[in-house]
Structures are given as structure tokens and as C-alpha cells.
Amino acid sequence: MAQTSKVFFSFANHHHWHSSTIDSIKIATPASLNSRHPVPKLLYSYDNVFHGFSAVLSKDELEALKKSKGFISAYKDRSLEAHTTHTSEFLKLNPSSGLWPASGFGQDVIIGVLDSGVWPESASFRDDGMPEIPKKWKGICRPGVEFNTSMCNRKLIGANYFNKGLMAENPDWNISMNSARDTVGHGTHVASIAAGNFVKGASYFGYAPGTAKGVAPRARLAVYKFSFDEGNVASDLIAAMDQAVADGVDMICISYGWRFIPLYEDTIAIAAFGAMIKGVLVSASAGNSGPNMGSLNNGVPWIFTVASGHTDRWFSGTLTLGNGLTIRGWSLFPARAIISNWPVIYNKTLSACDSAELLAQVPDAGRSIIVCQRSGDAEVVTDQMNYVAEARVGAAILITEDPAILRSTEFPNPGVVITPKEGKQVMNYVTKTPEPKASISFLETYLDSKPAPVVSASSARGPSRSYLGVAKPDILAPGVLILAAYPSNIAVEKIGTNVELATDYYLESGTSMAAPHIAGIAAMVKGAHPEWSPSAIRSAMMTTANPLDNTQKPIKSSEDNKRATPLDMGAGHVDPNRALDPGLIYDATPQDYVNLLCSLNFTEEQFKTIARSSANHNCSNTSSDINYPSFIAFFSPQGDLTWLEQKFRRTVTNVGSGAAKYRVKVKSPRNSNVSVSPQTLVFKKKNQKQSYTLTIRYKDNAEQIVESGSISWVEEKGNHRVRSPIVISPEIEVW
């Protein structure tokens, strides 16, 4: 009997094993070195989510690999469809270059989320692949109803809840979920957008399928619940933010706000001021009261105020008429309904689709498609869908050009929404064909829709009534139909009139969804630049934001398809990778913000409410002109056509690699002249500061139209372009 010898190889780790496997292929297939194909190259070695690797291989090298010991399977690399929000792709975050690897995906940065709690069982909060909890963390995992300490881990490192204020106002109440557990979904959704872990196979009933992940997937999460089913009060919010700062969070994300209250009564503004003093950046939602001017929340200078935009993702119901015409409409019907060559019904009496009783008269209703010809706004279309569902008509073709429908997930009945122009094509076919038929397919997700981003109509607009001295919002981020984690026991949608559906990942819209995007990106910028202040981080993100959409034209607002102004979108759409290396930053110290408060003519009590103690702060250098990366000037409501002038002084810090020279480039708003002095800034070394003045001379505007422009410092022989928006606005009443 022949003796079989065995050779054993020992590898220090999986990466060594995978690298050795690739090296063996190089040896086995030397011809590849002389071919037109690249040599085998190991890209990634995976050891946490699964054991394996990715590599660049020719067909011959793949065949050689298949013969190696330990081989199980191989798949061709391809682009995934939408990620957690599709925003990692949309924001061009890349695992091999830019902000993700530079920050370690936000690994040791702690994001505090102040909201409605968390659903700890979600896969987005697993700690697979997470290292030990940072030593700076001082918080707790507080047990409570249906929540114990074992539910926290190396991802969800803290959970706390605050309702003493709520209970004090309502002593007879019994808090139904007296713990950090989320019973409404909002907090879970927000937390997973900011820093959810990698989760394969996530989707919303088949829409937006792919690998879910937060913006900063390796950042740590600490959840502070202050909003309960029974309500919320300001005292609990302050307690939550105070504890978050004491616990050692680096960022705070809050998607709540109050309107129509003065600055010194704004709980979030007051608490955020204290956080800023301690070096903690606060990212907050602008609110969802747009597109009305001056509708913005959280508009104080020390808060990073975030507007909401559409991404380039489209959820489709594809309508195919019997004549072969195909229309890619809009649908989020949560099932793969089979509607193939069904009769299309058009009846003038029924075409308004405003009566379930009338719609029930449709012949063979359960297997027919009704054309709802009366176009209307999103609310009308939603009513039509509900009437169709109540009447149990098989499917519907609905018509609207209201972009608000693109923020809704309500599709209780199979249906597709099309534009009035497309509706004319449908009517032309239906009215001229003896027996019109059509098919509709669902669960389709398409990327690269144009134009994108687009400012959501619901996103609240500036200027800020809390403080007019800075332009708000600050920046635009994805906020429409964002896929993120959700409690699995909450009914999110329904089919028909009585079938309720739950899901682990839900699509929600609003500036609530935009704010955690900015918190996650800011966390990674902090991870890459731990010495930067909150103002420096915000400046880096604002001055590198993109004012153009994916057609390379100015970003538009969805409600009127007109060019968005800084009062709609701030400096532009966030560009995470550029924020890593902004070239210059506009920094501001806590004392600078105190100087600003000193300029507001507050009473001593009002001042102390925000700045704690006037005796401890120096008001000898009062200034309302904070060193902010944007500029705003106002004309009077009367518009008497006189020329006005406003001057600003700014100081920029060189955070580039060394000596640099910048020249100014100005785009003046219409009917204005903008001058800058000096026009060249020369830096001899890193961290050097230089100052300049900007003067806007502009004409009072009788038309009450917002005008905008920009100033950019462009590096000579370099790659940096440091852009700040300029806006001239009608003056509005301060709260």
C-alpha cells in the first residue's frame, strides 16, 4: 500500500492565507504575467461577515483557484442595488479611498442619538466586526421595560431614557414603555442611518434591495430616549443632551424641533450651546414645514442645520400597454402582484375615482385596471388609491405631477402613478382600442435618475427666525424615502383595507432622515481629524458641498423645478470625501459664540439661560458677525430700491499639507456687487490664519425675490476650492 504524505501549512491570519492562495495562482499561471489581463491581485480579505476574499482574476486564474484546497464558490463582482439609503453610493463613499478608510469607517467615534429610543434586536445594531468599546465611554445601558443590559454591545454601547419631566406634568400617567425601547420607529430609523452595521439582504418588501449600512458603519451608537408614546417635554430633552455630553459622545443627532419660540426659550438651541462649549457637534433637522420661507427649525449658528433632498433612486411600477408602449411609473405597492394583460377600464363617471361605491360597479373589478383620469395633488391620489382598495378593484393607473407623491409609501392597492403627459398617451390608447389591456410589474428599483439631488418640497426653508445673522439651512443631505432599520412589530403599511404589514427595514422621508446622514459624516471627519472643533468640521463639510446636481446644473427645488437658493439647501449637497481635505476652514471658538450672544441685547436672565452665567463670560468684544462659512444680507420689506451695503470679516485657517496660495472667485447675486479684500491669500505653513473682508452692495428688491451667489477661494497649483454661498433675502420677523 502506497503511503500518502500530507503537507500542512500554517497561516498567521486569514489575510495571510488568502494572500498565499493568490500567490500560488501567480506561480501556477505564469503566462498571465505576459497577458493583457492584470496579474492576480487580492483586494479584500474578509474575516468578520464571512470567510473569503475578493480578487482580480482572469478566467484561467479563476479555474486554477477552483482547484485549490478550501475552495467553495466564486461569484463575479457586480454593482449592488440600493444600500441602506443608497446614500453610500450616492455620496460616493468608497471602501478603498476617501473618508471611509481615512476614518476607519468612524470606528471609535461615538454618536449620541436623541429620539424615541431603539429596537435593539435589529440586525443593524449587531456588533459583528466591532472592536472593544472606546475607553472614553462613560455611559450606561439602563434596564427598563422589555430592555435589559445584555441588549447593548460594542455597536449599541449605551441606552438611556428620560421622562421625569413628562411624568411631573402628568403624574397620573403610566408610561407604557418605560425604557429605551422604541415603540414608534423614528429613533431606530435615525440611529441606523447614522451608524448602522452591515446587513446583507435588506429591503422594503423587495424595493431598494442590497446590503444595509449606516453612513458611518463602524461608529458607536448611544441612544437617549426622551420622546414617548405619551409625549415629550423640554426638560427631558435637556437632561438627555446633558447626559450624552457627560457620557463622552462626539456627535449628537436630533431630529426634533420647535417653531415660533424665541432663541432663549428654544430648548434644543440652549442645550446645543452647552454641547458646543464642550466640543460636541450637534446635527439637527431643519423641519418639514417647507417650502414656506422662514419655516426652519434649529437655525442657531452653533447647530449644524440640515435640509432634505431626493436621491437618484426611483421605485417603479412599469406599465406596459397592449400596443407595446412601456411607461416607467412610480409605485411602492409592497408585493409582487401579477397583473398581466388585464382589461383597462375607462369610464367618465368613474374616472374621478372618488367613490368606492361607484368603483365597485366596474365589471370584473377584481381583475381590471381602472384609469383614474382626474389628476390632482398627492393627497388626491392617496384618496383615490384608498377608494380603489375599498372597492376591491384589481389595479389602478393614477395621474399626478405633484412631487409629494414621491415621498409617500402608501400603496394599499396595486397601482402605478404617471404624469399628465404620460396620462395622455394612456388615454389615446384606451379610447381608440376596442378592448384595451395592460400589464403592470412591481418591486423595481432603478438608480441614476436625473436630476438628483433635488431639494424636497417639505424641507423647511430659511432664513432662521431664531437668528438672522447666519444663512440657514447649512447643508443638504439625502432625506426622501431612506431605507433604514425599523421595529419589527409596528404596522407600517397595509394592503387593501385590513391587511397590515410590518418590516425590518422601512422607507421614511423628512429632514429627520437627513440629519443623521450629516451626523455620520461629521463623525468620520472627526475620526480623521480628532483635533478639529465642531465649527471646523461644519466648515469643512459646507465649503466642499456641491451646488450642482448629476446633470452638472444647479440643484433645483422639487415643488417648482426652479434653481434652489441657499435658503433651500444651504451650501449645497454634502460631499463626504471632499470634506476630508477642505484646504481652508472657517473656525470659531466658544468665546466667539459668546460674543455673538452678547450682541443680541438679551436681558441678563435671557443671556444666562443660554450661556449659563454672564459673570463668567467676557462681553468686551461684542460681535454679531460670527466666523461662518456663508453670508446673508437683508433688504427691507418695503423695497424702496435704495442701495444698501453690508460688510463681513472672515478668518480662514490653512489645513492643507503646507504652504499655499489662494485667489478669490466671486459670483455676485443679481442686482448686487460683491468685493473682497485682499483678493489673494498666501499661507506659508499649515495652520496659519489669514483674514479678509467681504462687502455686499445691493439694491433693495421691490419684487421680494431671494438672490444668491458665492465666493470661492481657489488654490493656485492645487486641488482645493473653498466655496461659501451668498444670499440676499427679504427681511422677516424674528421670533
Side-chain angles (χ1 to χ4, degrees), residues 232-345:
N232 60 69
V233 295
S235 58
D236 292 334
L237 168 62
I238 293 176
M241 195 175 295
D242 188 69
Q243 188 62 56
V245 173
D247 289 345
V249 302
D250 298 292
M251 302 286 148
I252 287 175
C253 179
I254 182 163
S255 293
Y256 286 74
W258 288 271
R259 293 190 298 136
F260 309 118
I261 56 175
L263 171 55
Y264 48 82
E265 294 180 7
D266 187 335
T267 306
I268 295 175
I270 295 166
F273 189 89
M276 177 273 299
I277 294 291
K278 296 288 187 178
V280 177
L281 185 148
V282 177
S283 170
S285 52
N288 301 318
S289 300
N292 295 327
M293 188 175 180
S295 57
L296 175 136
N297 298 334
N298 300 319
V300 292
W302 50 88
I303 287 179
F304 205 166
T305 313
V306 189
S308 167
H310 296 254
T311 69
D312 65 346
R313 186 169 58 186
W314 184 266
F315 300 119
S316 178
T318 298
L319 172 67
T320 304
L321 302 178
N323 62 0
L325 177 65
T326 297
I327 299 173
R328 183 187 293 176
W330 176 266
S331 184
L332 276 166
F333 179 68
R336 195 177 297 280
I338 300 175
I339 299 175
S340 180
N341 289 317
W342 282 14
V344 180
I345 306 298

Side-chain angles (χ1 to χ4, degrees), residues 581 652 678:
D581 181 22
V652 289

Side-chain angles (χ1 to χ4, degrees), residues 653-728:
T653 304
N654 177 27
V655 292
S657 58
K661 183 177 182 180
Y662 287 81
R663 291 190 183 277
V664 73
K665 183 175 182 180
V666 175
K667 291 184 178 179
S668 297
R670 191 171 68 97
N671 295 325
S672 70
N673 296 311
V674 176
S675 60
V676 177
S677 180
Q679 295 190 340
T680 302
L681 299 177
V682 179
F683 300 89
K684 296 181 180 180
K685 58 183 180 180
K686 185 175 181 177
N687 294 324
Q688 184 181 356
K689 298 179 184 293
Q690 294 283 7
S691 298
Y692 69 92
T693 59
L694 181 145
T695 303
I696 306 175
R697 190 167 183 267
Y698 58 104
K699 186 179 290 188
D700 237 352
N701 190 332
E703 297 175 347
Q704 300 289 292
I705 296 174
V706 176
E707 304 287 0
S708 61
S710 66
I711 171 180
S712 298
W713 289 101
V714 182
E715 184 182 13
E716 288 190 354
K717 300 179 181 179
N719 298 318
H720 297 114
R721 185 182 186 92
V722 186
R723 180 184 177 276
S724 295
I726 300 171
V727 61
I728 301 174

